[in-house]
Each structure stands twice: as structure tokens, then as C-alpha cells.
Amino acid sequence: MSDKPSVLFVCVHNAGRSQMAAAWLTHLAGDRIEVRSAGSNPSDTINPAAVEAMAEAGIDISAETPKILTVDAVKESDVCITMGCGDTCPVFPGKRYLDWQLEDPSGQDVAAVRRIRDDIKFLVEGLIKEILPEESK
């Protein structure tokens, strides 16, 4: 297990919110934080509007694929952030759990997904300040 903090982002389909959050955290924190994402009922592909919105921000998520949420992914993460997946995330003692209330980008146009993308970036920036406080000064 790595000594750097690890974060798991979970949404239902792992095609929009959790993928954008993982991409933002990777982009903004680099290799200082280990990043995972998964879904309780993953889609076959990433949401095209999410791909386009992230590309506009200079981040390419087109090669990502939705992944199923596993018990191991939760066990291996210090922080588990859910986004609209209810109680499907297994709970383990000693883990930090957050639930980010974000609109679901599924079926939305790029303009709507841009707002969700920007909300996620704001939340991720706050998360980085919490997880890496010594580096945020």
C-alpha cells in the first residue's frame, strides 16, 4: 500500500461525475494523490458530453472506461466520495466517506455538463487542500 493518500470516486455509471472528478484530481494533484473511480452499475462507455466538457478544460478522458465498484477499491482508498449512488458503497471502519450532491450529467447537453464539471473542479480543489494541507500554503 502506498504512503500517499488515495481517493475513490463513485457514481452509478462511472461514466460522468466520477470520471470527471478522478480526472480533475489527477490533473490538479498529479502523482501526490492516488486516484480511483468506479460505478455501482457501470455503463459501457464514458458520457460523450463529459468527454467534450473535460476536453474544453484541456483534460482528455476519452480513453477511460467505466469500472465496477469492488470491495477492494474501497478498502484500498483513504477517502471514498460518492455522487448519487446511494448506499451501494461498502463501508469500512477508518475510511472517510463524503457524499457530493451533484447533478447527473447523463442525457444532458454539453452546456449543462460544463456546470457540473466546474462544480466538481471546485470540490476537488477543496479536497486537495484538506488532504495535502502542507502543500496548499
Side-chain angles (χ1 to χ4, degrees), residues 10 12 17 24 31 43-44 57 85 108-109 118 126:
V10 182
V12 176
R17 293 169 289 191
W24 273 125
D31 63 356
S43 291
D44 293 329
C85 59
Q108 303 225 35
D109 64 14
D118 294 344

Side-chain angles (χ1 to χ4, degrees), residues 35-127:
V35 182
R36 297 179 182 85
S37 73
S40 54
N41 184 20
S43 291
D44 293 329
T45 60
I46 301 295
N47 180 329
V51 172
E52 185 175 337
M54 292 303 287
E56 291 173 358
I59 301 171
D60 182 7
I61 62 170
S62 63
E64 297 297 326
T65 56
K67 296 168 276 313
I68 186 75
L69 176 64
T70 65
V71 170
D72 286 343
V74 178
K75 281 183 181 177
E76 294 169 5
S77 300
D78 300 310
V79 181
C80 181
I81 299 174
T82 57
M83 305 173 200
C85 59
D87 297 329
T88 60
C89 191
V91 175
F92 294 98
K95 303 290 178 190
R96 180 174 176 205
Y97 294 89
L98 300 171
D99 185 45
W100 289 354
Q101 299 295 315
L102 294 160
E103 193 176 346
D104 188 349
S106 180
Q108 303 225 35
D109 64 14
V110 176
V113 175
R114 282 184 197 114
R115 291 188 298 276
I116 299 165
R117 173 202 66 199
D118 294 344
D119 290 345
I120 291 170
K121 181 182 181 194
F122 176 79
L123 291 167
V124 166
E125 288 169 338
L127 180 68

